[in-house]
Amino acid sequence: MKSNESVGELFELCMLGGSVERRFRRMRPEIERLPWGTLNPAAHSPELVIEARKSWTHAAYQEHRTGAACAETLRALIAARAPVDLIGVATRFPLDEMVHVEMCARLAEELGGGTHVEHDPRDLIPVPSLDLPPLLRATECVVQYFCVGEALSIPLLRGTWRAAKHPLIKGVLGRIVRDEALHGTFGFTFLGWVNDELGDADRKHLALSAARVVQSIRASWDNIPDVSGYESAELHALGWMDSHDYLALAKRSLEKRVIKPLAKFGIFVNEVAN
Ligand SMILES: [Fe+2]
Ligand SMILES: [Fe+2]
């Protein structure tokens, strides 16, 4: 997904509180059982704490965008009259993402507060054209948001969860990993259902769409913060993998979890990418 942080509005969040917050908590009671209030920024170097605040603020923003992607997909699935049970399963995804947004924002808060992120709320995510036939449009949403974005994020989150040492950060990442496992497999379940309806031109269209997302993901790897000067133990405490390990896992996972599974459905990302 392309990043829109250079212009626009400040990315700030709020909670309504009261009975609405209590209802939200009842929907996901496991979140409040995490050991909130146990991060101690004074225990780490100030520069690393600033990097961690930036990183968790950025994570909250990415989860926010993924929430929009899940909601956009739901609308497209409904318009395409996808199977009701499949849509029903996907209705949980925007809630999951809002929970992830809140958890990442709370981690930034515990470390001293969120950092400055600007964005254009009118251009949160790349959206397929409304002129497409509804089924192809729904499939394009699923391919770009789930078969690429979500499928790739799962191994990376799992790797970061394994490396994390602090109980709160490990707990947050563990919760996200469990939710995302279902998001990642959803995309390919949908492709299994829609496969017979897709013609060659549709598969080419989907490959081009996936290739655009893959290209922006590869470009984002250049912006991974350089934390090579810090001890692994310190990085792992605050929820990072070593940059080198992360990049190697990302490249491997892109081939294994995205490019190859899409090729099984005749969606050949490498053939259309330049
Ligand atoms: Fe998420
Ligand atoms: Fe997700």
Side-chain angles (χ1 to χ4, degrees):
M1 288 182 182
K2 72 177 176 174
S3 181
N4 302 304
E5 290 166 59
S6 54
V7 288
E9 298 178 13
L10 194 58
F11 176 63
E12 285 181 312
L13 302 167
C14 67
M15 298 280 278
L16 188 58
S19 63
V20 172
E21 183 179 351
R22 285 195 294 278
R23 197 165 169 199
F24 177 56
R25 301 283 173 229
R26 278 199 301 274
M27 291 164 97
R28 298 299 297 268
E30 69 279 14
I31 306 306
E32 281 310 286
R33 290 198 286 268
L34 292 170
W36 297 107
T38 56
L39 270 174
N40 177 15
H44 308 279
S45 76
E47 300 81 25
L48 193 62
V49 169
I50 288 173
E51 285 302 326
R53 286 170 55 198
K54 279 189 200 165
S55 170
W56 286 111
T57 308
H58 187 76
Y61 176 56
Q62 291 305 326
E63 297 286 358
H64 178 77
R65 297 178 71 219
T66 312
C70 290
E72 187 70 37
T73 305
L74 265 182
R75 179 190 191 280
L77 290 171
I78 292 168
R81 299 185 306 280
V84 171
D85 50 355
L86 197 60
I87 298 173
V89 165
T91 60
R92 182 191 147 115
F93 300 161
L95 170 63
D96 291 343
E97 302 303 349
M98 289 304 101
V99 168
H100 302 171
V101 168
E102 195 215 350
M103 288 195 298
C104 293
R106 281 173 78 170
L107 286 182
E109 208 56 46
E110 285 208 12
L111 288 163
T115 55
H116 188 95
V117 171
E118 284 186 14
H119 73 306
D120 182 351
R122 295 160 302 183
D123 189 25
L124 265 185
I125 49 168
V127 178
S129 167
L130 279 164
D131 295 333
L132 289 170
L135 192 58
L136 181 59
R137 184 170 192 276
T139 310
E140 186 173 350
C141 283
V142 170
V143 164
Q144 64 178 19
Y145 306 142
F146 287 84
C147 299
V148 181
E150 298 284 75
L152 180 63
S153 77
I154 294 167
L156 296 175
L157 283 162
R158 198 178 293 127
T160 314
W161 166 72
R162 279 206 193 98
K165 292 284 177 278
H166 190 283
L168 175 59
I169 289 178
K170 202 170 182 74
V172 166
L173 286 166
R175 184 63 257 164
I176 295 176
V177 164
R178 277 194 289 279
D179 292 342
E180 298 296 355
L182 198 57
H183 302 197
T185 53
F186 172 82
F188 293 100
T189 305
F190 176 87
L191 279 186
W193 169 72
V194 81
N195 194 32
D196 290 345
E197 304 294 325
L198 299 175
D200 289 348
D202 298 330
R203 289 177 214 275
K204 178 93 184 285
H205 174 87
L206 296 166
L208 281 165
S209 171
R212 279 194 293 274
V213 183
V214 165
Q215 197 177 26
S216 71
I217 289 171
R218 285 193 172 122
S220 74
W221 291 342
D222 295 337
N223 301 323
I224 290 175
D226 182 12
V227 285
S228 51
Y230 296 98
E231 293 284 323
S232 289
E234 244 207 320
L235 293 177
H236 296 172
L238 288 174
W240 273 297
M241 288 174 73
D242 299 283
S243 319
H244 179 267
D245 294 350
Y246 184 90
L247 262 180
L249 178 62
K251 287 176 184 169
R252 261 196 332 268
S253 303
L254 185 60
E255 277 305 314
K256 191 173 157 199
R257 307 287 183 132
V258 177
I259 309 275
K260 281 188 182 162
L262 281 175
K264 285 187 186 152
F265 290 96
I267 299 168
F268 300 110
V269 177
N270 284 342
E271 281 182 17
V272 298
N274 48 35

